[in-house]
Amino acid sequence: MRTPRKSGILLHPTSLPGSGGIGSLGAEASAFIDFLAASGQSLWQVLPLGPTGHGNSPYSCYSAYAGNPLLVNFETLVEEGDLAAGECEDSGTKHRIDFPRVQRYKSRLLLKAADTFLARDDDHRHDEFRHFRETTPWLQDFALFMALKDHFSGACWNDWPADIRTRSPHALIEYAARLAHEVNLHCYSQWQFFRQWHRVKKYANHRGVEVIGDIPIFVACDSADVWSNPSLFKLDRLGDPTVVAGVPPDYFSVTGQLWGNPLYDWEALAQSGYAWWIERLRSSFGLYDIIRIDHFRGFAACWEVPAGEATAVNGQWVDGPGEALFEAVEAALGKLPIIAEDLGVITPDVLELRDRFGFPGMKILHFAFDSGPDNPYLPHNIERSSVIYTGTHDNDTTVGWYSRLTDSERQRILHYLDSPGKTIAWDLIRATLASVADTAIIPLQDVLSLGSEAKMNAPGTVGGNWSWRYQAGDLNDGHAARLLDLTEIYGRLARRRHAH
């Protein structure tokens, strides 16, 4: 039986409108879901929802399990009595996130809300809070990790004193007792994040919208994951990585890309039956309906660079776990709806691994026009099982991308699209929805026909990334009607549900 044709929108929750200087999991999230339903969309794709570290990148988080407390909606905390209405204020500009300002503002009020909640023993929510703490296996390590980071002025865990860096039992007990209040505060923030996110997802599912989540293959060195499980990574006795992740030199960069993430010790993971990865996926499928795995090719082989190298040139390909990992995952969790991010230079073994487990790959329309009619990214060439995008969070917006092309490149694109090019973003949206791919995803910036000022991330750059937001007035019934029309024409119309 054929998979139903579907379509949806890529938008990270930080980009939602509202007060507080950053998008949050409140009324604006529900309003966006209503837009998805009104425009016939059945998918909402988000970026990783974890607590971001250096650079504010959702692909570099302090935990592979925890949520980003900056997404907690304060209006909900006011309704529940943990904050007073007068304590909340707007913070930052409308269309850009001022991360340092938002971090200071939200951290201060989250601490205040937690203190208020924890001081009220008669609050009926305490049973729910206790249940969350008792049934969330990663929470204690994460909350202690964050409390320790605050205690040691933000230092990376491998620069902490030796006893707690190496997690000696005595040190864990001592610091947990000394920082008990701070640990409780981080537990409260996580509890609020997860209860708010689950409400958002439940509402999305009620409106006929599934949520596509995103998990990076690698984790950050400065994370609770590596501190809590050092034996699963290639580290030296001090906790420093011996090798780090990257990609080799290619057409885009003569020195490659040096990401710096610690690499897994796949032999150690295999000895446990890949338990850590199984639990990571189990936890993620508690948050999402479908998961995209970033840098899927790393499961076949990854580019391993000796620690301390200035570039990724002096690396080598090292085999990953391949089929063994996903066989263990399927044995534990069953067949899973996973999208494999298979962009870039992909070798046959990666495609074989992807196809062996029936994972759809990705096609990006921005990459389709730099060669002839055999380009595998052109809508008429892609596999039906693929997920097609105009662009992703790492691409410029369609308007920005098109503006940088030469006249001859533009003419080639317009000839293919049979378009005068006056509304290039919607031309590509139409081509994406019309493609043979079962699933089509459009970044919201393209629905709004925005230029480069609205791009989410410019890979290889520092500063200014991940900060774009839209405002409530930017998205209107006209956008919904236009998208609904194209979605219906090309057979992707979702079964719509009514709001309460």
Side-chain angles (χ1 to χ4, degrees), residues 112-412:
K112 190 164 190 174
D115 279 336
T116 300
F117 169 76
L118 293 168
R120 292 201 308 261
D121 291 336
D122 60 339
D123 193 311
H124 67 279
R125 296 175 299 155
H126 273 270
D127 287 342
E128 181 187 339
F129 179 61
R130 280 191 290 270
H131 179 74
F132 176 75
R133 294 194 67 164
E134 292 168 0
T135 59
T136 307
W138 52 264
L139 181 62
Q140 183 63 28
D141 273 332
F142 170 74
L144 180 57
F145 172 85
M146 295 303 296
L148 286 163
K149 277 196 71 66
D150 294 339
H151 181 72
F152 293 118
S153 304
C156 183
W157 68 268
N158 53 16
D159 289 325
W160 296 347
D163 58 349
I164 193 62
R165 182 182 74 231
T166 58
R167 295 175 57 85
S168 78
H170 175 77
L172 288 173
I173 294 170
E174 178 185 339
Y175 278 104
R178 186 190 309 179
L179 302 175
H181 181 65
E182 290 79 4
V183 168
N184 284 338
L185 299 179
H186 287 289
C187 288
Y188 170 86
S189 295
Q190 289 303 304
W191 174 60
Q192 287 289 8
F193 169 87
F194 278 92
R195 65 204 300 259
Q196 290 188 14
W197 173 253
H198 284 303
R199 286 174 193 153
V200 167
K201 182 180 178 296
K202 182 179 180 180
Y203 185 68
N205 292 164
H206 170 73
R207 299 302 319 268
V209 175
E210 292 182 298
V211 179
I212 303 176
D214 192 330
I215 62 174
I217 183 175
F218 301 121
V219 297
C221 182
D222 190 15
S223 66
D225 311 295
V226 181
W227 176 63
S228 302
N229 304 279
S231 64
L232 303 183
F233 300 87
K234 295 182 178 180
L235 309 175
D236 64 20
R237 61 181 182 82
L238 297 177
D240 295 318
T242 57
V243 288
V244 296
V247 290
D250 57 17
Y251 172 80
F252 299 101
S253 172
V254 296
T255 60
Q257 296 180 42
L258 188 63
W259 296 337
N261 305 78
L263 292 172
Y264 298 105
D265 184 335
W266 288 115
E267 290 185 6
L269 280 156
Q271 290 173 9
S272 69
Y274 301 103
W276 186 87
W277 262 98
I278 289 170
E279 289 310 308
R280 184 183 185 189
L281 287 167
R282 191 196 309 275
S283 176
S284 295
F285 275 104
L287 296 177
Y288 315 112
D289 301 295
I290 303 163
I291 287 176
R292 186 195 89 122
I293 298 182
D294 192 55
H295 198 62
F296 179 82
R297 74 143 299 116
F299 293 116
C302 66
W303 188 248
E304 186 177 277
V305 183
E309 290 285 327
T311 72
V313 171
N314 295 321
Q316 61 178 340
W317 288 109
V318 175
D319 288 342
E323 294 184 359
L325 169 63
F326 292 102
E327 287 172 349
V329 167
E330 282 198 357
L333 304 178
K335 187 76 174 172
L336 298 175
I338 288 173
I339 298 169
E341 186 273 288
D342 56 351
L343 305 175
V345 180
I346 300 299
T347 49
D349 58 334
V350 181
L351 301 181
E352 290 170 8
L353 181 62
R354 181 197 70 186
D355 296 342
R356 159 75 172 77
F357 293 92
F359 301 150
M362 292 175 56
K363 302 297 180 185
I364 310 301
L365 204 48
H366 288 189
F367 300 158
F369 303 102
D370 58 358
S371 55
D374 294 332
N375 187 306
Y377 288 94
L378 284 168
H380 65 268
N381 286 330
I382 64 178
E383 302 93 343
R384 287 187 181 276
S385 63
S386 298
V387 183
I388 186 172
Y389 299 73
T390 52
T392 74
H393 63 276
D394 280 337
N395 292 95
D396 200 345
T397 67
T398 290
V399 170
W401 161 78
Y402 185 74
S403 70
R404 299 194 321 274
L405 301 176
T406 65
D407 288 342
S408 62
E409 288 171 331
R410 292 179 191 170
Q411 287 304 313
R412 185 165 62 246

Side-chain angles (χ1 to χ4, degrees), residues 5 429-431 433-435 485-493:
R5 286 166 64 80
I429 290 173
R430 177 184 287 271
L433 295 175
S435 75
D485 181 52
L486 291 178
T487 304
E488 188 168 17
I489 287 172
Y490 296 116
R492 300 184 184 275
L493 192 60

